[in-house]
Amino acid sequence: MFEKKISDEDRKKMERKAKKNAKASKKKESTGAGVKDKLISVCKVVVLPLIFVGIVVCALYLVMQNKLEEESLKDSVLAMREDVAVNTFVKSEDAGKYFEVISVDLTAIPTCAYKSLDELPKDGFYIENAMTKTQMVMKDDIADKDIVMDKYKNDYEITSFPTESFDGGVNGSLRKGDIVDVYALNPETELLELFAENVYMSEVYDNVGNRITKPDEVATSFTVLVTSEKVESVNLAVVYGKVQIYLKTE
């Protein structure tokens, strides 16, 4: 067989064409890689931050939804700011010193609970039960009238007297806010007599004159409110001595 001879000119043309094709192919590959790099760069700069922002927004939305759901299951209720003794009289303008509005789970709020300061009696009221800090205030804890305490609205005197110390006895366990009857031994009849009824304990003290603040302390001296007509009777009981106090209970 005869081999076709290629002239030098044709060979050069073929070589030039091969080089041109190779160069074009290389350029195409280079252009493709550049576009790919640009796309990756755009994803890093734009797309990924957008995805991150979307995740954060979704998370915040879920948190807010949960918070709204929790809030929808709560309601306002009136609670104590501090411990308050039984029979304490509260003026309407001073209610904010004793009470505050807090948020509580709906399931924990009784139907008889006060929900705001506006629901309290407008002309002042008594705290019928000893209250502790954060305790919810119920309708039965408040009274706008009290037969025993109302008598002190008109006129009363403040006086103090000691009694014998009895650990664990009535005298020793009395606390601020208690209502008591005061008895003493009449030396003429040698009988125990009632000298003052429904006396309000304003403060109680131990045997060295310190105000009592703890439940296990023993009270031996008392500051009381006494109506004017009972002042002489209380003083006479103190003169006679051997004062005994009886705690009034409902």
Side-chain angles (χ1 to χ4, degrees):
M1 295 184 66
F2 296 97
E3 185 179 351
K4 184 178 180 179
K5 293 184 177 180
I6 301 174
S7 64
D8 292 339
E9 186 176 348
D10 290 337
R11 185 182 294 108
K12 290 179 179 179
K13 287 181 179 180
M14 291 175 65
E15 289 177 354
R16 285 197 296 271
K17 187 175 181 179
K19 289 180 179 179
K20 187 176 181 180
N21 289 339
K23 188 175 182 181
S25 177
K26 187 175 181 181
K27 183 177 181 181
K28 185 177 180 181
E29 290 178 358
S30 176
T31 301
V35 172
K36 185 178 180 181
D37 291 340
K38 287 182 179 179
L39 287 174
I40 293 173
S41 178
V42 169
C43 287
K44 289 181 178 179
V45 175
V46 179
V47 178
L48 290 179
L50 286 175
I51 293 174
F52 177 75
V53 170
I55 293 172
V56 172
V57 170
C58 288
L60 289 174
Y61 175 78
L62 291 174
V63 169
M64 292 301 296
Q65 282 294 104
N66 290 335
K67 187 174 181 180
L68 288 173
E69 290 178 3
E70 290 177 0
E71 289 299 323
S72 67
L73 297 175
K74 292 185 176 182
D75 200 0
S76 297
V77 67
L78 206 60
M80 302 303 300
R81 284 187 180 275
E82 58 186 26
D83 295 351
V84 179
V86 62
N87 294 316
T88 297
F89 181 75
V90 179
K91 296 180 180 178
S92 55
E93 60 267 27
D94 294 333
K97 299 177 182 179
Y98 295 88
F99 309 97
E100 62 181 344
V101 177
I102 61 174
S103 182
V104 179
D105 290 340
L106 279 172
T107 55
I109 302 177
T111 56
C112 60
Y114 282 100
K115 294 188 176 182
S116 70
L117 292 171
D118 294 335
E119 296 180 7
L120 295 170
K122 305 302 180 184
D123 297 324
F125 52 88
Y126 297 99
I127 295 180
E128 291 287 277
N129 303 301
M131 305 289 286
T132 58
K133 186 177 181 180
T134 72
Q135 182 178 345
M136 285 189 288
V137 185
M138 307 298 159
K139 304 294 184 182
D140 292 341
D141 296 324
I142 301 297
D144 56 353
K145 294 181 179 180
D146 187 290
I147 295 176
V148 173
M149 294 302 298
D150 280 347
K151 67 182 182 180
Y152 293 116
K153 285 184 176 180
N154 300 320
D155 186 25
Y156 65 85
E157 302 288 340
I158 301 176
T159 187
S160 298
F161 58 84
T163 64
E164 294 184 37
S165 174
F166 297 105
D167 292 4
V170 172
N171 291 8
S173 63
L174 291 174
R175 294 294 181 265
K176 178 179 179 179
D178 285 338
I179 304 295
V180 302
D181 290 341
V182 178
Y183 285 77
L185 190 66
N186 188 329
E188 295 179 0
T189 62
E190 296 186 352
L191 296 175
L192 199 62
E193 294 183 9
L194 174 63
F195 283 82
E197 190 176 17
N198 294 328
V199 175
Y200 175 77
M201 289 286 167
S202 178
E203 290 293 348
V204 294
Y205 305 87
D206 61 18
N207 57 3
V208 293
N210 294 321
R211 183 180 287 108
I212 286 180
T213 57
K214 298 178 181 178
D216 58 345
E217 294 177 314
V218 179
T220 61
S221 183
F222 310 92
T223 296
V224 298
L225 304 186
V226 186
T227 55
S228 298
E229 64 271 15
K230 288 293 182 180
V231 170
E232 186 176 347
S233 296
V234 171
N235 290 338
L236 184 59
V238 174
V239 170
Y240 284 163
K242 295 185 179 180
V243 173
Q244 291 191 24
I245 298 177
Y246 290 75
L247 177 64
K248 302 295 286 285
T249 59
E250 295 181 358

